[in-house]
Amino acid sequence: MALKCGIVGLPNVGKSTLFNCLSNAKAQSANFPFCTIEPNVGVISVPDSRLNRLVELCNPKSTVPATVEIVDIAGLVKGASKGEGLGNKFLANIRETDAIIHVLRCFDDDNITHVDGSVDPVRDMEVINYELQIKDLETVETRLAKTEKAAKAGADKTAKMQLGVLQAYKEALEQGRAARTVKIEGKEEEKFARELFLLTNKPVMYVCNVDDASAVAGNKYVEQVREAVAAEGSQILTLAAKTESEIAELDTWEERREFLEEMGLEESGVNRLIRAAYSLLDLQTYFTAGADEVRAWTFMRGTKAPQAAGIIHTDFEKGFIRAEVIKYDDYVTLGSETAVKEAGKMGVEGKEYVVQDGDIMHFRFNV
């Protein structure tokens, strides 16, 4: 599934440094605004200990992890919604992503300039959120003008439904709230809301980029951000991008583990961020496992068996007969598919089965 998370933030907050830690694609990282002009794209593997354990048990010829696409988007400045800086390009690139990783500078360093002259992550967050809200308000108002005419013309139920959704969004945006804070009920309403592609309707995670000393416990800036987004209910993740870049340069896992232990960290912030981004998109994983290949397949939470089969190949969904399902814990405990079958632990599921995170699947189909 080609789902994208966009890394956004003001210039010089650590976006490209973070991106370089996440991906083998190396973005330019420099102490001046707009060093990232074109969006850099990296496909990154999702760390998953379950996949590693299945590989140990199956000893396959190949291993394919789940992935998430990360896009490093050029820094934004105040007035972007009106075309300031690289505003139009920035906003267009965000529109193409499925979720937003919003990087905030939460460290002091006189050697790294700040576009507004001082460190204030809440102000920085509000700058970007305001620009996104203004752009969304333009989108809503343009659509609203057309929809009002259609709704007044007669008994157009669709237009009236759309009008209600648009008015709810307009009210929220004029109050300085993100579109995602509006509760939309009804399948048709939800479908229309998605088709608007509003920037502030995308799920967001705030990443507080701190100094080395604050990597474990955070600092006053992180607490300010936490307080500012409490009502929004968005995720917050704290990491030190500079430290993460040093970890990424180490050659072996043993060296990385020792480095993390010295820092007082259980695992790298990058690993936590990748998993959080995966969760932010409401994604889960099922596995196929055998001697030829152990593979993690990405699916949206709530997906039923035929649609999950279609992720492998459309023919699997078209000719779906049944799914043979092994729970991960049973596979690991018993050690093999054969042992699971002998123990009567393999489930046979039909078209209404909702695939669960960690399921090991085998699909039967006929086309």
Side-chain angles (χ1 to χ4, degrees):
M1 301 176 71
L3 293 169
K4 297 181 181 180
C5 285
I7 300 180
V8 306
L10 291 178
N12 293 350
V13 298
K15 300 184 314 302
S16 295
T17 300
L18 180 59
F19 175 83
N20 289 342
C21 298
L22 288 167
S23 171
N24 288 328
K26 296 294 182 181
Q28 182 185 1
S29 180
N31 183 25
F32 57 89
F34 313 129
C35 69
T36 306
I37 304 298
E38 295 300 328
N40 294 278
V41 180
V43 178
I44 58 176
S45 299
V46 178
D48 195 327
S49 60
R50 297 172 302 180
L51 181 71
N52 299 336
R53 184 68 180 119
L54 290 174
V55 169
E56 291 174 2
L57 292 171
C58 297
N59 192 26
K61 295 176 183 176
S62 67
T63 304
V64 183
T67 60
V68 172
E69 199 165 290
I70 300 291
V71 186
D72 178 26
I73 299 172
L76 174 146
V77 294
K78 192 178 296 183
S81 59
K82 305 300 180 184
E84 291 294 326
L86 297 170
N88 291 330
K89 181 178 287 290
F90 174 96
L91 295 168
N93 290 333
I94 294 179
R95 199 176 297 279
E96 295 172 2
T97 65
D98 300 289
I100 296 172
I101 297 172
H102 188 158
V103 182
L104 298 168
R105 176 172 170 175
C106 294
F107 64 89
D108 294 307
D109 189 333
D110 293 337
N111 295 318
I112 301 178
T113 59
H114 190 289
V115 69
D116 286 326
S118 62
V119 177
D120 186 339
V122 174
R123 176 201 60 205
D124 296 352
M125 176 181 64
E126 290 173 348
V127 166
I128 286 189
N129 287 344
Y130 175 79
E131 298 300 333
L132 299 184
Q133 288 164 11
I134 291 297
K135 203 66 179 177
D136 278 350
L137 187 57
E138 289 178 9
T139 300
V140 168
E141 288 178 337
T142 299
R143 189 66 181 265
L144 196 56
K146 298 177 182 178
T147 306
E148 283 177 337
K149 291 180 181 179
K152 290 177 181 179
D156 187 337
K157 291 184 179 179
T158 299
K160 289 181 179 179
M161 174 274 291
Q162 293 177 350
L163 187 62
V165 173
L166 291 166
Q167 287 173 337
Y169 279 141
K170 184 174 186 291
E171 181 180 349
L173 292 164
E174 286 178 338
Q175 293 173 357
R177 294 189 289 119
R180 74 180 74 88
T181 64
V182 177
K183 188 175 182 180
I184 302 296
E185 296 181 348
K187 289 185 178 180
E188 289 300 314
E189 287 83 354
E190 289 176 357
K191 182 175 182 292
F192 174 65
R194 287 194 299 270
E195 291 171 351
L196 292 171
F197 296 105
L198 297 180
L199 302 173
T200 63
N201 223 3
K202 299 176 185 294
V204 62
M205 174 171 57
Y206 295 100
V207 174
C208 297
N209 183 16
V210 300
D211 54 26
D212 290 358
S214 306
V216 176
N219 56 30
K220 64 178 182 180
Y221 295 127
V222 175
E223 292 308 311
Q224 290 168 8
V225 173
R226 197 180 306 281
E227 183 178 340
V229 304
E232 186 179 319
S234 295
Q235 295 184 48
I236 292 180
L237 188 142
T238 302
L239 57 74
K242 183 180 177 183
T243 301
E244 297 297 325
S245 66
E246 294 174 3
I247 294 172
E249 293 298 323
L250 298 174
D251 294 327
T252 67
W253 163 244
E254 288 75 15
E255 289 177 314
R256 294 180 184 183
R257 181 174 53 77
E258 289 176 6
F259 188 101
L260 288 167
E261 287 177 355
E262 290 176 6
M263 293 290 298
L265 298 169
E266 293 183 5
E267 67 173 337
S268 73
V270 163
N271 279 5
R272 289 186 288 116
L273 175 57
I274 295 170
R275 284 201 301 274
Y278 197 69
S279 174
L280 186 66
L281 291 168
D282 211 17
L283 302 179
Q284 294 183 323
T285 303
Y286 76 80
F287 302 97
T288 51
D292 288 332
E293 179 184 80
V294 170
R295 182 164 183 160
W297 299 90
T298 299
F299 67 96
M300 298 292 293
R301 185 191 303 271
T303 298
K304 292 184 178 180
Q307 289 69 49
I311 294 169
I312 299 177
H313 196 287
T314 54
D315 284 348
F316 284 28
E317 181 176 356
K318 291 176 183 177
F320 179 87
I321 299 173
R322 66 179 182 273
E324 296 172 353
V325 184
I326 301 174
K327 296 302 177 183
Y328 172 79
D329 288 343
D330 289 336
Y331 197 106
V332 171
T333 300
L334 296 169
S336 71
E337 182 176 322
T338 300
V340 170
K341 288 180 179 177
E342 290 175 350
K345 293 285 190 178
M346 177 181 282
V348 178
E349 305 291 350
K351 293 182 178 180
E352 294 304 310
Y353 177 70
V354 177
V355 180
Q356 301 298 303
D357 187 45
D359 280 353
I360 299 165
M361 311 286 291
H362 184 70
F363 299 105
R364 299 294 183 181
F365 69 102
N366 182 30
V367 291

